[in-house]
Amino acid sequence: MNIKQYLDATYLKTAEQAGISKKANLEIVKKNIQEAIEYGFKLIMIRPEFVALAKEMIANANSKVTIGTVIDFPKGNKSLEFKLSEAKKVIQDGVDDLDFVIDYEAFKEGNVALVKEQVLACTKLGLENNKIVKWIIEVAALMIIKLYNFLHLLKIVWCVILRNHNMKMFL
């Protein structure tokens, strides 16, 4: 069994976060993409601005590596319009996997309607474009009861999405 086909390679640092130049950061991104190709990983997870580069490198190598990116990373506190715009751009650039960061601050403050609206709209966009959609939840920021309530909300939203897309539900 080749375990590598189930692994993701991830590099999400900006040049500033890494304490290096943009050029040096780009070289690290390229190296990570190339290693994912060489080792036959399932996915390379990178920042949105590198999706087109990864798509080109993977196509040139005739590789099956898929591309994932994070939307509204790292805080998830930008508007729905920002999330949709960023997602549309990377869909155009060839992304396979969209990992949206949930606005957990809005949820903690009780703005459930905002979170629900974002989850519905962004998930719908991803599914309509045949993308894998995941939501990143900062569980350390939520107390257990809030986490339970949040997961319950996601289950309700997921049921609505599945029903609207006539998909079989496995919840």
Side-chain angles (χ1 to χ4, degrees):
M1 177 173 149
N2 180 7
I3 189 96
K4 294 175 189 171
Q5 67 185 349
Y6 300 104
L7 300 178
D8 295 355
T10 301
Y11 186 74
L12 299 174
K13 287 185 179 181
T14 63
E16 184 179 325
Q17 290 168 332
I20 57 178
S21 70
K22 288 185 179 184
K23 184 178 178 183
N25 199 53
L26 177 60
E27 290 308 312
I28 292 172
V29 170
K30 287 180 180 177
K31 181 179 178 238
N32 276 271
I33 296 167
Q34 190 59 43
E35 286 178 353
I37 293 168
E38 288 174 11
Y39 293 113
F41 287 172
K42 170 68 177 163
L43 179 135
I44 178 71
M45 179 62 68
I46 50 178
R47 296 184 71 84
E49 61 267 28
F50 300 119
V51 169
L53 169 66
K55 187 71 173 179
E56 180 183 349
M57 289 177 68
I58 291 165
N60 289 342
N62 197 27
S63 173
K64 293 181 180 180
V65 173
T66 59
I67 304 165
T69 196
V70 287
I71 303 296
D72 196 11
F73 183 78
K75 296 186 178 184
N77 60 354
K78 294 193 175 126
S79 69
L80 172 59
E81 292 72 26
F82 176 87
K83 288 180 192 305
L84 290 171
S85 176
E86 190 170 42
K88 287 175 184 175
K89 170 76 169 87
V90 295
I91 288 169
Q92 233 177 356
D93 289 345
V95 79
D96 301 293
D97 188 315
L98 297 164
D99 286 22
F100 291 89
V101 179
I102 202 83
D103 189 342
Y104 53 87
E105 287 299 328
F107 184 79
K108 281 179 18 182
E109 293 167 5
N111 197 347
V112 176
L114 173 73
V115 174
K116 184 176 179 181
E117 177 187 32
Q118 288 185 352
V119 171
L120 279 169
C122 295
T123 303
K124 181 178 183 233
L125 174 67
L127 294 178
E128 286 175 350
N129 286 278
N130 299 311
K131 305 302 174 191
I132 294 171
V133 177
K134 296 181 279 185
W135 285 88
I136 300 170
I137 306 165
E138 187 62 49
V139 294
L142 299 175
M143 295 175 12
I144 290 294
I145 190 68
K146 291 227 182 245
L147 180 59
Y148 173 80
N149 292 341
F150 185 73
L151 293 174
H152 181 69
L153 169 69
L154 286 181
K155 182 177 179 183
I156 291 168
V157 168
W158 186 239
C159 290
V160 169
I161 290 166
L162 290 175
R163 190 173 334 116
N164 289 342
H165 286 276
N166 295 321
M167 296 177 168
K168 188 173 180 181
M169 187 171 65
F170 293 99
L171 297 176

